[in-house]
């Protein structure tokens, strides 16, 4: 038997409870993993609270990422004892995920734990960190160089945003960070590498279709009106990378930034990211993230605390990364 956070739905209300399960309850897969750590992402928060249509079937074990040790494998790439990481592939949405002491998954979804990282550090990075690295790489591929000007990061106090700030600073970019809680987050974001910190309100109201040129590029985790305003302020030939919709999935923008300033809007998805790209991103993360990131941008909770923290992450009360120690008791 093992413990898991299980989501069930009663009268259209999602309920989350720690439940004892048997290995025979696990879904199909060719690799079974003993999980040490998972993490709490915004998407997990939506699933656990039921405030987003994330879960496709019930009951469901949430958790879109995890790190642990292979217990049993019928996959040629993995043997018992191997340290592995999983992010994405619909795990925690349509296939039981990482908020449990065990998981059974398709071995093709796994990657080896990157050399130089512990399982806990891997989840301090997690899906959010992988997404942030893919965003930074997309900016580089889009031709945005440190000498071109400042790069804007919206939702900077969240998981993706805080890692993006850290990575961009490490690569020599000047970073402007946007947060909804300036008083609580300014000093922390500056410690991560932000050159200045801006209030969310400055980007929330409808603005001009084409505004003054401020930013060489941007990483947007918010979407909606904020993304529209960011696009209107990008310098000629700049790139905006979009990876989130915390503010909404609409885009009330015009074509003017694209056709008059040659601006590029690049989407980033980490869920179905091809394996070679994943491996390259993990290697870059291990090289670029400084030791202070793991000290400043993360904190650890027990599995039983997860539902309470899910409410907090949805309400914007969490900064940085939340790691779930699966072995930790209350």
């Amino acid at each position: 038997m093992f413990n898991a956070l299980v989501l069930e739905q009663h009268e259209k209300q999602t309920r989350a409870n720690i439940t004892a399960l048997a290995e025979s309850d696990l879904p199909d897969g060719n690799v079974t993993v003993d999980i040490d750590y998972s993490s709490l992402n915004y998407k997990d928060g939506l699933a656990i609270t039921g405030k987003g249509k994330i879960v496709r079937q019930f009951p469901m074990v949430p958790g879109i990422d995890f790190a642990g040790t292979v217990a049993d494998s019928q996959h040629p790439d993995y043997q018992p004892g191997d340290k592995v990481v999983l992010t994405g592939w619909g795990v925690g949405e349509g296939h039981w995920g990482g908020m449990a002491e065990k998981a059974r998954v398709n071995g093709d979804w796994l990657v080896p734990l990157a050399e130089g990282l512990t399982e806990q550090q891997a989840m301090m990075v997690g899906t959010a960190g992988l997404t942030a690295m893919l965003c930074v790489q997309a900016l580089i591929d889009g031709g945005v160089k440190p000498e071109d000007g400042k790069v804007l990061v919206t939702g900077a106090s969240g998981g993706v945003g805080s890692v993006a700030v850290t990575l961009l600073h490490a690569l020599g970019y000047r970073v402007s960070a946007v947060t909804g809680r300036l008083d609580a987050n300014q000093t922390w974001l500056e410690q991560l590498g932000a050159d200045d910190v801006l209030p969310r309100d400055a980007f929330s109201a409808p603005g001009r279709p084409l505004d003054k040129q401020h930013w060489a590029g941007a990483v947007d985790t918010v979407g909606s009106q904020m993304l529209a305003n960011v696009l209107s302020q990008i310098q000629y030939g700049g790139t905006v990378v979009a990876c989130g919709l915390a503010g909404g999935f609409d885009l009330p923008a015009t074509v003017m930034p694209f056709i008059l300033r040659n601006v590029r809007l690049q989407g980033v998805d980490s869920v179905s990211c091809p394996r070679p790209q994943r491996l390259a991103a993990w290697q870059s993360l291990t090289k670029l993230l400084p030791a202070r990131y793991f000290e400043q941008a993360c904190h650890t909770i027990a599995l039983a605390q997860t539902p309470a923290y899910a409410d907090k992450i949805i309400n914007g009360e969490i900064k940085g990364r939340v790691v779930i120690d699966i072995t930790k008791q209350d």
Side-chain angles (χ1 to χ4, degrees):
M1 303 295 290
F2 64 95
N3 288 326
L5 182 68
V6 178
L7 305 183
E8 295 183 295
Q9 200 166 56
H10 298 276
E11 298 180 351
K12 297 184 179 181
Q13 297 294 315
T14 301
R15 299 179 182 177
N17 294 292
I18 303 295
T19 305
L21 300 173
E23 280 200 43
S24 58
D25 294 322
L26 288 169
D28 292 339
N30 54 14
V31 180
T32 303
V33 179
D34 290 329
I35 299 174
D36 295 311
Y37 294 93
S38 183
S39 70
L40 181 67
N41 297 275
Y42 188 80
K43 185 183 285 187
D44 296 318
L46 290 173
I48 294 167
T49 60
K51 294 180 179 179
K53 294 181 180 180
I54 302 299
V55 175
R56 304 168 192 170
Q57 59 190 34
F58 293 90
M60 176 58 59
V61 175
I64 64 173
D65 53 17
F66 64 74
T69 305
V70 173
D72 181 75
S73 175
Q74 282 77 50
H75 192 282
D77 291 346
Y78 299 103
Q79 304 296 323
D82 289 348
K83 301 293 185 180
V84 293
V85 173
L86 184 144
T87 61
W89 299 115
V91 170
E93 303 173 59
H95 187 98
W96 283 14
M99 295 184 188
E101 293 176 328
K102 289 182 180 289
R104 184 175 293 136
V105 297
N106 184 337
D108 292 341
W109 300 341
L110 299 168
V111 295
L113 178 67
E115 187 174 352
L117 287 181
T118 65
E119 291 104 312
Q120 184 178 22
Q121 287 174 326
M123 287 298 97
M124 289 177 174
V125 176
T127 291
L130 178 66
T131 303
M133 187 67 245
L134 294 172
C135 288
V136 170
Q137 188 60 55
L139 280 179
I140 295 170
D141 293 344
V144 180
K145 301 181 291 297
E147 59 267 27
D148 292 338
K150 285 187 176 179
V151 173
L152 189 74
V153 178
T154 68
S157 59
V160 177
S162 60
V163 182
V165 169
T166 306
L167 292 171
L168 287 164
H169 176 73
L171 287 166
Y173 289 86
R174 290 176 294 145
V175 184
S176 294
V178 179
T179 178
R181 301 176 65 200
L182 195 64
D183 55 341
N185 296 329
Q186 180 169 357
T187 300
W188 173 69
L189 286 167
E190 289 172 347
Q191 291 171 345
L192 292 182
D195 293 274
D196 48 54
V197 183
L198 307 174
R200 179 175 58 201
D201 291 347
F203 298 86
S204 299
R208 300 175 181 175
L210 208 61
D211 211 331
K212 292 182 180 180
Q213 302 179 51
H214 290 295
W215 324 107
V219 174
D220 177 68
T221 70
V222 178
S224 193
Q225 186 62 59
M226 184 167 292
L227 176 54
N229 288 337
V230 170
L231 285 166
S232 75
Q233 298 177 13
I234 298 297
Q235 296 172 10
Y236 189 93
T239 295
V240 177
V241 181
C243 66
L245 44 66
F249 57 78
D250 61 324
L251 182 56
T254 74
V255 299
M256 293 175 71
F258 308 111
I259 65 174
L260 296 181
R261 289 185 181 162
N262 200 35
V263 169
R264 174 191 296 188
L265 176 59
Q266 175 68 55
V268 160
D269 162 65
S270 67
V271 174
S272 302
C273 177
R275 180 181 174 85
Q277 210 172 335
R278 286 176 186 267
L279 293 172
W282 277 107
Q283 290 302 317
S284 296
L285 284 162
T286 60
K287 295 175 183 177
L288 290 173
L289 283 177
R292 60 182 169 79
Y293 163 78
F294 299 105
E295 299 165 0
Q296 295 174 346
C298 313
H299 60 281
T300 302
I301 64 172
L303 183 60
Q305 296 174 275
T306 305
Y309 273 77
D311 280 317
K312 291 182 180 181
I313 201 169
I314 292 301
N315 293 327
E317 299 171 7
I318 298 291
K319 66 179 183 181
R321 294 283 291 147
V322 177
V323 176
I324 304 170
D325 184 344
I326 300 298
T327 66
K328 184 179 180 181
Q329 303 301 313
D330 292 350

